[in-house]
Amino acid sequence: SAVVRHCFVGQGVRLGAHLSAEHSLLVANSELLNGEVCSIFAGPHTISHHKSTLLIAGMFSFYNAGSATNQSNHMYKLGPIHQGTLERGCKTGSGAYLMFPAHVGAFTLVLGSHYGRPDTSALPFSYLTEKEGCSVIFPGINLHSIGLQRDIEKWVERDRRTALEKLDLINTELFTPYTIGRVCSGIEVIRRLLEKNIEHVTYSGVKISKSALIKGLKYYEEAVEIFLSNVLVDRVLSQQVASQEALRAALQATDKSGLGEWVDVAGMLAPKSEIERLFGELESCAVGSTAQLASRFEQVHRRYAEYTWAWALNLLANRLGKEVQLVGAPDIISVVAQGLKAEEHRIRMLISDADQDAQLAEKWGSDMFQRRKAPQQDTPILKTLDAQLERQRQRAAQAIGMLTAI
């Protein structure tokens, strides 16, 4: 019962329940029901279920739209020329409104109405809310939301594509050069704003309190530490670093193409330089068919680990303030230990967030006369978190043991 005009509908996409869709690209595993979409780029796992929801003139990816979510792209001047971007992992609460142009950073929860055309691309993992008609942001707070962890898991589980050839190249990892690059930008922004030493600052169409900046800086630093720790542990264990020579060999990047800014290409994460190189090949006709284009995208996608290592190695050197060839085992041990500590703190916060949510369900659930405490520690997502932390502890211990023996 969907009305679909001039759209591309990708693999595993579900449309129905009187949805109205026009002039839109709907990529793998999206699910759009009841409402209206017009002139949107819906990246993987874009979800909208409500009759009152309108998505228009925007780019979305791994997105979940709350009921009565709405945007404006028409200022009644030059026509509907404005557009917006909600980077991967964003959500909008019920009744959320954005006046375009606007750009919302990755994994941000948007609540309320926003008329100031905010650009929070440098402040990912945030809550963007409204207070007294003004946009207010809390940087990094979404890093400790159990909903974020649940999203990461369900995107993998809800891949409905059944074709032998999956046409979309989708990366569902959380801490990547794409997201951590934006986190690093956020760290720079927050430090500049804190230098003003005032209780409330305005940045790119949003207001931020000093306390929110301080907390956001801590959360962002932890995210960088977790990312670097995970990448270094993977490298040490995969390269079986057991000597100074092996360590020096491991701390080399075979390909420097991963340096610089990264982009999200409809679910695929890649260095911007590689995508621009591909554009050049298209313009010069070095890539002359859709089959060749698909092959080139697959080449970039397969090299994700190489690009990531080059990017992470450069970040490590910048954080330590020394050349890569001067990085030693004690440096890596320290980074791994810091990252494990940060991950332990993050998981404790996730469990606390899950407990608070479960307590609300227990208090206000339908079984009002026979309430009992739910076995929260037995829920699947908490079991997953426990297993994830234990696995990281074991791998970190193994890597530290190998480095200590050098």
Side-chain angles (χ1 to χ4, degrees):
S1 302
V3 179
V4 183
R5 297 179 65 248
H6 302 134
C7 292
F8 174 88
V9 182
Q11 292 176 321
V13 172
R14 289 178 177 170
L15 308 176
H18 302 282
L19 170 80
S20 172
E22 185 172 356
H23 292 115
S24 295
L25 182 75
L26 313 172
V27 180
N29 297 316
S30 293
E31 184 168 303
L32 303 164
L33 309 173
N34 292 302
E36 179 182 357
V37 299
C38 180
S39 300
I40 73 166
F41 188 110
H45 297 274
T46 294
I47 307 298
S48 176
H49 280 182
H50 307 289
K51 290 183 179 180
S52 54
T53 296
L54 165 67
L55 305 182
I56 186 168
M59 293 185 68
F60 309 88
S61 184
F62 301 94
Y63 167 69
N64 197 320
S67 63
T69 289
N70 192 8
Q71 305 94 44
S72 296
N73 71 318
H74 199 310
M75 299 293 106
Y76 303 99
K77 296 178 181 179
L78 295 178
I81 63 172
H82 304 289
Q83 63 185 26
T85 300
L86 279 75
E87 294 188 8
R88 65 163 48 203
C90 286
K91 297 180 182 178
T92 45
S94 296
Y97 169 80
L98 283 163
M99 179 181 286
F100 286 165
H103 193 153
V104 180
F107 295 100
T108 291
L109 172 62
V110 181
L111 304 170
S113 298
H114 303 274
Y115 297 88
R117 305 180 182 89
D119 180 358
T120 68
S121 53
L123 298 172
F125 299 105
S126 298
Y127 281 6
L128 178 60
T129 67
E130 174 199 2
K131 183 177 181 180
E132 298 176 351
C134 296
S135 297
V136 179
I137 197 166
F138 298 87
I141 195 171
N142 204 31
L143 283 163
H144 296 154
S145 169
I146 194 64
L148 172 62
Q149 188 69 25
R150 182 170 172 265
D151 286 340
I152 296 297
E153 294 178 14
K154 71 184 183 185
W155 289 330
V156 177
E157 296 169 356
R158 297 181 183 180
D159 189 343
R160 293 188 294 266
R161 295 174 294 169
T162 57
L164 294 177
E165 181 185 6
K166 293 181 172 59
L167 300 178
D168 298 276
L169 306 172
I170 301 175
N171 187 326
T172 59
E173 290 189 28
L174 179 61
F175 294 136
T176 66
Y178 172 80
T179 51
I180 297 301
R182 280 151 174 73
V183 164
C184 291
S185 297
I187 289 172
E188 294 177 6
V189 166
I190 289 176
R191 285 176 175 166
R192 289 199 307 269
L193 295 176
L194 284 173
E195 288 175 358
K196 297 183 179 181
N197 197 29
I198 54 179
E199 288 304 313
H200 293 87
V201 296
T202 299
Y203 165 78
S204 197
V206 297
K207 290 186 176 181
I208 321 174
S209 69
K210 184 177 180 180
S211 62
L213 289 171
I214 293 171
K215 291 178 181 178
L217 182 60
K218 177 184 177 182
Y219 300 155
Y220 283 163
E221 289 285 356
E222 287 184 345
V224 175
E225 291 168 357
I226 292 168
F227 169 76
L228 279 177
S229 176
N230 290 341
V231 172
L232 286 171
V233 167
D234 288 344
R235 188 72 173 183
V236 169
L237 296 183
S238 65
Q239 298 289 316
Q240 288 295 299
V241 175
S243 66
Q244 288 288 358
E245 292 74 18
L247 177 59
R248 282 194 291 271
L251 293 177
Q252 299 294 326
T254 57
D255 192 328
K256 300 296 180 65
S257 303
L259 303 182
E261 183 183 354
W262 280 51
V263 291
D264 183 352
V265 187
M268 182 185 81
L269 301 179
K272 186 177 181 180
S273 59
E274 288 299 288
I275 301 304
E276 289 178 338
R277 179 183 300 178
L278 180 51
F279 288 165
E281 293 172 1
L282 283 165
E283 291 168 353
S284 67
C285 296
V287 172
S289 69
T290 54
Q292 289 177 334
L293 180 60
S295 176
R296 283 290 287 114
F297 274 123
E298 288 172 3
Q299 290 173 18
V300 174
H301 184 61
R302 284 197 301 268
R303 296 177 65 187
Y304 170 78
E306 296 176 48
Y307 297 142
T308 297
W309 172 242
W311 193 89
L313 193 59
N314 185 65
L315 176 62
L316 175 68
N318 290 336
R319 297 271 294 183
L320 294 177
K322 59 175 67 176
E323 298 294 329
V324 172
Q325 56 267 29
L326 299 179
V327 175
D331 296 315
I332 299 176
I333 290 171
S334 176
V335 172
V336 170
Q338 287 175 352
L340 182 60
K341 182 179 178 181
E343 180 71 327
E344 289 173 338
H345 176 253
R346 189 179 81 91
I347 289 180
R348 284 199 303 271
M349 295 293 286
L350 290 173
I351 292 173
S352 174
D353 193 43
D355 284 342
Q356 291 177 25
D357 202 33
Q359 287 170 12
L360 283 174
E362 176 193 346
K363 182 176 181 180
W364 300 107
S366 58
D367 188 10
M368 296 298 290
F369 300 103
Q370 296 181 359
R371 294 199 303 269
R372 60 183 179 83
K373 188 170 180 60
Q376 297 162 31
Q377 68 276 12
D378 293 333
T379 57
I381 193 167
L382 296 187
K383 286 183 177 180
T384 300
L385 284 173
D386 288 338
Q388 174 184 320
L389 181 57
E390 183 57 30
R391 183 170 60 253
Q392 289 178 320
R393 283 171 174 161
Q394 291 175 1
R395 288 171 59 79
Q398 186 179 354
I400 290 173
M402 294 176 69
L403 293 167
T404 303
I406 294 178

